[in-house]
Every structure is written in structure tokens, then in C-alpha cells.
């Protein structure tokens, strides 16, 4: 008897197994994404254990080696359902901690985007946003949790982020650590500051990656609030240069409802891993899906100028959300500030009592110490000066009660932001300023007491508008309250964003100091007109900053947004302002002029004392003339730590301004003016270091010359160490403007 066996089921099963294997192998294959110009290429791939990885190359050269991605959760995230009748817990489902492995790819999608948008203010009047996108949908088999990794590849770099869709098995979760890697290809030169949860106010150190550990202790200098976390931890924006001349910059964009990212280096493998700022409980983030992380960004170029001119960070933020932006205007200002910073005068009003209680302490019964800077008479001097020289506004610090015990006491109710000292008449000063055509800038120092500021915020903003103030400088000096929170944690970042959005409702511009470093959020909320969030000019009165500091900041801190650096110091010997302060400004006067161009900001302060500007009226003319908003910017020369030369075209004019700053080695610029309109003539006024200028012994030695230039002209100009030059280029409208001037 012959038995017949039906082979079809076996064949079908084998085919099915083969299809499954093919699909699983396909999921492991690299997904490739190229930049619009094809020069940058990113590959995404899962490891055999389902770990997401990416790799980045530029012009065929590897930039980032295969690097792992994902997040680690803290404890078991739980899904809790409550009984409808007795509101008791009826089900708890444990979910494992990993969001970094055991994934499979369920879908991929690509897209191309190309637009040109108009910023409210900026380095140029039009910005192109052109990228290719890849989104990879992932799923964990065991947990049925879903995560999307979205990549956007521009011609000058990449941005990627994690997205958590609405789903049943990932709703509320706590981040233990984000585990994004940036695997470098070698021991690059880095321009870095120590990783710190509370401050970025450090001088930059230039070293090999392998040298960071040995140099860290010396790099951590004193600050009013600081919390370092690792001997190899550094902050973003991190600038690097490879041995073969490739420039790499790591940062983040659109930091919203998330902790600030630092980078922790494995100095054996040269792999950076993301390191988020924790909250008071040690958690790195509390997330409710649907949600997404900020973008992790990597800029790449073989030309340092392209790093400076990149709009990648801005482009990764959402478009402007403020419909009416007519009240948002770039500002050039002076103020009662430098005299307090140098110690010539003080924020406080009296020495009579060791502590004050707002609403109880009666200042009218206390003896003033007569060193108060924010007096009616002194502020009127600055208003008169601003009106005479065409400045938009005057900032006044120390006008409000509470400065006697404001710092270092963990004081909750420290300021009320509306009650002035007896010698400052809010209404009278505002009326006086208005009569002179000058606006006033309010100052809100919080002393880190966030709860106090938020409960006063509406009252403070209403007070500002009632008295004609359209801009505020907010400060976050010292350790935070709630106690245990850090300046850069998720909770604090949410506060900074809350203050910006609240200010927008009142049509108030914000200049936040000591807040988290910017990440392009000013595109979405352009009323965030400035930030400090780095070591500014004030440190020149606290012992000085390194000569190369201003040649690194545009490659690092300014990648995320403009800085209220407060330049324009003409007297470098601080003891001449205050005999008890022996600090020295490590800069020449010409360098200080150039900063108005090289250190981009729509908010620029002429920071020095009035009397120092009156000593050098010819040099001061450049500060009066230079614009603060631009139609175009051309980065002409750049090398981090060495020199930067940039030309900018003033908004709605045909006038240009050039600035060059040099580091400790000096620099000789050789630049073409071919960006000028053909056939037109211009008068160029060149403010430069004199031959005998020396930032330590002869910083105020400068020369000024006027020449006629065209788009065929070239400028060869020497800058001494810590020096620079500034040029105003004004279009000729009448021939008598160039009479007697030489052609260049």
C-alpha cells in the first residue's frame, strides 16, 4: 500500500519561516539618509540585540562611529488603573526599564522639506530650512512599547530626537538617563567647559579629549552656584577639531519640558554619552506621552565659517508662535550696572540692618550708605547720556528693595519686584525717560527663588507695563529654591519657558541671565531677545577672562542663540573705577569695538561708565553707529580660539559693519569686500589696534582712518593678541563725502 504525503504544509511553513527571517534581517539592515547636497550621510541600524545605532560620515569620511541610542527608565514604570466603584488600585503592570534595546523596526518613512522663512530679528533677513528626513518606528516585543527616532539631515549637520506616541504601555515614565552616544573617531582637539548642573560661567579650555580628565580640576573655577558631576563631563555646545581639519559641533535644539544635556566622555574609547541634569530627587525627567525629547545636533564642516553661519539650531525649532511681533525690537542700551560690577557703587541701599523683611522693614527710617547706584540723580545721568548719543534704552539694577540680604541665605521671599528704594522714583524716572525719547529696562533678580518669582510674575509684569517698561533682564544668581533643584533641570527649564510665554502675553521682551543656555527657542518665542548663560564681560571685573574667550564663544554658547555679553569696556584697569578691585580686562579697546559685530545679539549694551566713553569720543562713535539687526552676515575668516572676522549688513540699509577679534596669538586679516554692491562707493572707517597696542600694558592704543572702498577693495589689517578691529562701511550718497579721502 502506497502512502502519499502532502508536502504543501511543510513548504508553506518553510516559506513562512524564510519570510520572517528576511523581515528580521531587513530590520537589522542600515537605513541610509543623505543631506540635500549629498555630502553628509547617516546610517541607522539595529544591533543583533535590537539596540538602535546611527553612524555619520561627511564627504566619505567617518565623523561619528556607530553609536547607540535610547533611554533608561528609573524603576519599573507602572500602569495603574483604578476601580470605578471604590477607587482602589485594581491592576499594576510592571514594565522593564529599557528603552534602548530589544527593538524591532515596524516602519520607516522619508520626507524632504525646503522653505525660506523670515525671522523677527536675526543675523539675516531670510533663512533657508532645507533637510531630508527619516523617521524610524520601533517596537519592543516584550512590552509592546513604541518609540520613534526622527532624523533630519541638513547640508551642515544632523538633528535627531526620540518621540513617544500615545499608547497604552508607555504613558507616564521617569528617565534614569538618556543613553545617546556620540562616538568620536579619534583624540580630537576640544574647546570645552566643565559639565555643571548650575553654571556655564567658565573660561574655555582647549585640549585633546584625552587631556580633559587631567585638566578638569583647574578648569572648575569659583561661581555663586555650581555642581560638577564628572572628571570628564563637559557642556554643550561642544566644539571640536580633528587632526585632518574637520570641525564638529555637538549641541541640542528645542529644549522644551526636558532636562539640559551634558556630555560625559569615556576617554579611553572617545565616546561621549548624553548626561541629563537631574532634579532634586535625582531623576532626569518625568515624561507624559505623547512627547518628544529635544533634538540632538551634530554640525560638521571642513570650514569653520560654516559652523558659525549655520541656522540648523533655529531650523529645528517650531515657527514663531507670537502673531503680533511689532513690539519686539532690537535694543542698544546703557545702564547702571558696570559701576556695581566693578564695586564703584552697590545694589543695596543701607548698612543699618543685617537683614530685611519686605513689607515690614521701613527704609525711610534707615540711613543710606550713599553708595547706592540706582538713585534718581544717577539714573537721569544715564538717561541724558542715552538721549544725547542715540541709545534706545537704559537698564537700572538695584532699584527695588531687598538687596541687603539677597544672596546666599536661601531666602524665599527675597524680592517683590514692585517696591522701589526711597531714592528711586519709578514714575518720575519713567516720565523723565519718556520726555527724552528713551525707554527703560526693568531688572528682576530672583536670587534663585523660583516659587517667589512665579507667584509675583503677573504682578511684576503688570507693574512694568503700567510704568512703560517693555523689556526685562531677569537673573537667577545662586542656588535654587525649591532647594535641591538645579539651574538646568527639567523643572527649571519649564520655569524659564513659562516666564517667556507669560511675558509674551504682556508684550514684554526677556533677557534672562543665569538661565539655561539657549537652544534656538527664540525662533518660536522671539521675545526671548537675549540670554547670558555663559561667562560674560562681568568676569573681566572678577579677575579677568582668557584672551581667546571671545574667539570661542561664537562657536559654542552662541550656537543656540544670542548672548547679552555686555561689551564696550574702554577702561581696562578696573582699579581706576574701584581702588579695591585689581582686576584687568584682557582686551584692547579695538577688540571691544569689534565684539559688537562678532558677538551677535539683537540686544547690545555699551557697558562701561559714562566718563570712560567721554574720554574716547572718536572710538565711541563706532558703538553709536553699529547696528543691532541685520539683513545679511558674511563670516569671512574663522578659527576657534584664534580669530573671527565677520561682516554684517545693517537692516534695511546698504551699510555694512565688520568686526575682527583675535586670541592670544594675534591675527592679520586679509579680506575682500566683494560682498559690497558693484559700481557703488563707500566710506570705510577703520578702528584698529595701534602698532604699539598691548592688551596688558597699552590697551587703549588705537588708530582710526577713513578710506573710500568698493567691492573690488581688500583690507589687510593686523590685530595684536587679544586685539581686533572694527569697520563701518557707509554707502556714499554725495561726492563731497569722499573729498580728500584715499581709495583702498
Amino acid at each position: 500500500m502506497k502512502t502519499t504525503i502532502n508536502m504543501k504544509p511543510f513548504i508553506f511553513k518553510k516559506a513562512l519561516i524564510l519570510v520572517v527571517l528576511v523581515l528580521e534581517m531587513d530590520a537589522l539592515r542600515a537605513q541610509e539618509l543623505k543631506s540635500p547636497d549629498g555630502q553628509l550621510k547617516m546610517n541607522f541600524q539595529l544591533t543583533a540585540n535590537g539596540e538602535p545605532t546611527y553612524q555619520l560620515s561627511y564627504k566619505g569620511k567617518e565623523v561619528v562611529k556607530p553609536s547607540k541610542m535610547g533611554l533608561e527608565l528609573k524603576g519599573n514604570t507602572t500602569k495603574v488603573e483604578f476601580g470605578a466603584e471604590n477607587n482602589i488600585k485594581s491592576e499594576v503592570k510592571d514594565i522593564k526599564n529599557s528603552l534602548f534595546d530589544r527593538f524591532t523596526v515596524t516602519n520607516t518613512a522619508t520626507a524632504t522639506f525646503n522653505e525660506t522663512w523670515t525671522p523677527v530679528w536675526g543675523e539675516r533677513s531670510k533663512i533657508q530650512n532645507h533637510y531630508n528626513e527619516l523617521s524610524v518606528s520601533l517596537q519592543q516585543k516584550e512590552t509592546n512599547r513604541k518609540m520613534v527616532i526622527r532624523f533630519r539631515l541638513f547640508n551642515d549637520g544632523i538633528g535627531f530626537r526620540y518621540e513617544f506616541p500615545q499608547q497604552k504601555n508607555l504613558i507616564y515614565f521617569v528617565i534614569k538617563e538618556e543613553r545617546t552616544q556620540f562616538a568620536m573617531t579619534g583624540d580630537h582637539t576640544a574647546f570645552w567647559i566643565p559639565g555643571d548642573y548650575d553654571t556655564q560661567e567658565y573660561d574655555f579650555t582647549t585640549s585633546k579629549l584625552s587631556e580633559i580628565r587631567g585638566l578638569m580640576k583647574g578648569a572648575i573655577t569659583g561661581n555663586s552656584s555650581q555642581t560638577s558631576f564628572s572628571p570628564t563631563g563637559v557642556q554643550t555646545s561642544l566644539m571640536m577639531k580633528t587632526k585632518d581639519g574637520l570641525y564638529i559641533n555637538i549641541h541640542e535644539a528645542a529644549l522644551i519640558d526636558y532636562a539640559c544635556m551634558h556630555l560625559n566622555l569615556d576617554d579611553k574609547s572617545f565616546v561621549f554619552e548624553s548626561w541629563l541634569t537631574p532634579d532634586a530627587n535625582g531623576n532626569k525627567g518625568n515624561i507624559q506621552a505623547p512627547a518628544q525629547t529635544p533634538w540632538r545636533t551634530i554640525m560638521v564642516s571642513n570650514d569653520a565659517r560654516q559652523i558659525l553661519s549655520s541656522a540648523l539650531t533655529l531650523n529645528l525649532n517650531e515657527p514663531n508662535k507670537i502673531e503680533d511681533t511689532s513690539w519686539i525690537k532690537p535694543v542698544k542700551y546703557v545702564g547702571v550696572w558696570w559701576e556695581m560690577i566693578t564695586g564703584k557703587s552697590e545694589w543695596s541701599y543701607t548698612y543699618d540692618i543685617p537683614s530685611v523683611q519686605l513689607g515690614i522693614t521701613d527704609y525711610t527710617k534707615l540711613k543710606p550708605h550713599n553708595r547706592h547706584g540706582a538713585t534718581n540723580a544717577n539714573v537721569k545721568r544715564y538717561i541724558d547720556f542715552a538721549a544725547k548719543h542715540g541709545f534706545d534704552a537704559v537698564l537700572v539694577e538695584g532699584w527695588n528693595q531687598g538687596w541687603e540680604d539677597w544672596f546666599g541665605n536661601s531666602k524665599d521671599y527675597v524680592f517683590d519686584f514692585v517696591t522701589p528704594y526711597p531714592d528711586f522714583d519709578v514714575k518720575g524716572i519713567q516720565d523723565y525717560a519718556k520726555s527724552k525719547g528713551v525707554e527703560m529696562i526693568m531688572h528682576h533678580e530672583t536670587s534663585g527663588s523660583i516659587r517667589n518669582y512665579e507667584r509675583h510674575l503677573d504682578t511684576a509684569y503688570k507693574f512694568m507695563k503700567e510704568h512703560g517698561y517693555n523689556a526685562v533682564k531677569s537673573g537667577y544668581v545662586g542656588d535654587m529654591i525649591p532647594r535641591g533643584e538645579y539651574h538646568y533641570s527639567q523643572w527649571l527649564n519649564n520655569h524659564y519657558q513659562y516666564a517667556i510665554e507669560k511675558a509674551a502675553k504682556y508684550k514684554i521682551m526677556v533677557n534672562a541671565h543665569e538661565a539655561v543656555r539657549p537652544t534656538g527657542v527664540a525662533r518660536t518665542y522671539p521675545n526671548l531677545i537675549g540670554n547670558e548663560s555663559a561667562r560674560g564681560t562681568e568676569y573681566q571685573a572678577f579677575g579677568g577672562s582668557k584672551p581667546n574667550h571671545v574667539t570661542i564663544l561664537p562657536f559654542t554658547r552662541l550656537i543656540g542663540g544670542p548672548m547679552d555679553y555686555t561689551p564696550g569696556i574702554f577702561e581696562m584697569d578696573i582699579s581706576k573705577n574701584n581702588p579695591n578691585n585689581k582686576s584687568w580686562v584682557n582686551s584692547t579697546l579695538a577688540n571691544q569695538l569689534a565684539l559688537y559685530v562678532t558677538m551677535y545679539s539683537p540686544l547690545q549694551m555699551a557697558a562701561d561708565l559714562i566718563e570712560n566713553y567721554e574720554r574716547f569720543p572718536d572710538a565711541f562713535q563706532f558703538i553709536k553707529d553699529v547696528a543691532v539687526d541685520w539683513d545679511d552676515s558674511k563670516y569671512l575668516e574663522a578659527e576657534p580660539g584664534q580669530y573671527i572676522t565677520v561682516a554684517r549688513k545693517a537692516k534695511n540699509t546698504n551699510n555694512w559693519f565688520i568686526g575682527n577679534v583675535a586670541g592670544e596669538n594675534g591675527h592679520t586679516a586679509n579680506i575682500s569686500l566683494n560682498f559690497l554692491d558693484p559700481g557703488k562707493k563707500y566710506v570705510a572707517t577703520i578702528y584698529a589696534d595701534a602698532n604699539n597696542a598691548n592688551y596688558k600694558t597699552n590697551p587703549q592704543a588705537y588708530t582710526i582712518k577713513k578710506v573710500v572702498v568698493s567691492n573690488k577693495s581688500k583690507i589687510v589689517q593686523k590685530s595684536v593678541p587679544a586685539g581686533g578691529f572694527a569697520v563701518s562701511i557707509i554707502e556714499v550718497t554725495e561726492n563731497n563725502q569722499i573729498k580728500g579721502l584715499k581709495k583702498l
Side-chain angles (χ1 to χ4, degrees), residues 16-122:
L16 185 60
I17 292 171
L18 182 61
V19 169
V20 171
L21 288 173
V22 168
L23 289 173
E24 289 183 349
M25 289 300 295
D26 187 59
L28 295 176
R29 290 175 187 162
Q31 301 288 330
E32 184 178 281
L33 183 67
K34 290 184 177 180
S35 59
D37 64 2
Q39 298 296 317
L40 272 168
K41 185 173 72 173
M42 189 279 301
N43 287 290
F44 173 85
Q45 189 170 13
L46 292 180
T47 67
N49 193 35
E51 299 165 300
T53 67
Y54 75 99
Q55 182 265 349
L56 187 66
S57 61
Y58 175 70
K59 294 184 177 181
K61 184 181 300 183
E62 190 173 45
V63 177
V64 180
K65 298 190 295 185
S67 301
K68 295 180 180 180
M69 314 175 76
L71 299 96
E72 181 178 359
L73 308 184
K74 184 172 184 179
N76 286 326
T77 302
T78 58
K79 174 185 175 184
V80 181
E81 296 178 0
F82 292 93
E85 296 180 359
N86 53 13
N87 200 36
I88 61 173
K89 191 181 298 186
S90 61
E91 178 187 350
V92 177
K93 181 179 179 182
D94 289 337
I95 301 178
K96 295 181 180 179
N97 300 337
S98 167
L99 274 180
F100 55 83
D101 63 5
R102 296 172 294 122
F103 283 109
T104 58
V105 175
T106 59
N107 189 43
T108 61
T110 57
T112 296
F113 186 82
N114 191 3
E115 69 166 0
T116 299
W117 57 278
T118 302
V120 176
W121 45 260

Side-chain angles (χ1 to χ4, degrees), residues 247-304:
Y247 299 91
I248 304 169
N249 186 286
I250 301 176
H251 194 31
E252 62 180 320
L255 175 53
I256 302 288
D257 193 18
Y258 205 78
C260 172
M261 181 183 73
H262 301 76
L263 300 171
N264 201 32
L265 175 67
D266 181 334
D267 49 2
K268 297 293 189 291
S269 63
F270 304 127
V271 174
F272 286 105
E273 187 164 285
S274 57
W275 186 281
L276 304 182
T277 304
D279 63 17
N281 296 319
N283 299 326
K284 299 298 184 79
N286 291 270
I287 309 297
Q288 177 187 352
Q292 64 276 322
T293 69
W295 297 91
R296 281 61 189 98
T297 64
I298 309 169
M299 297 179 188
V300 187
S301 180
N302 55 11
D303 187 338

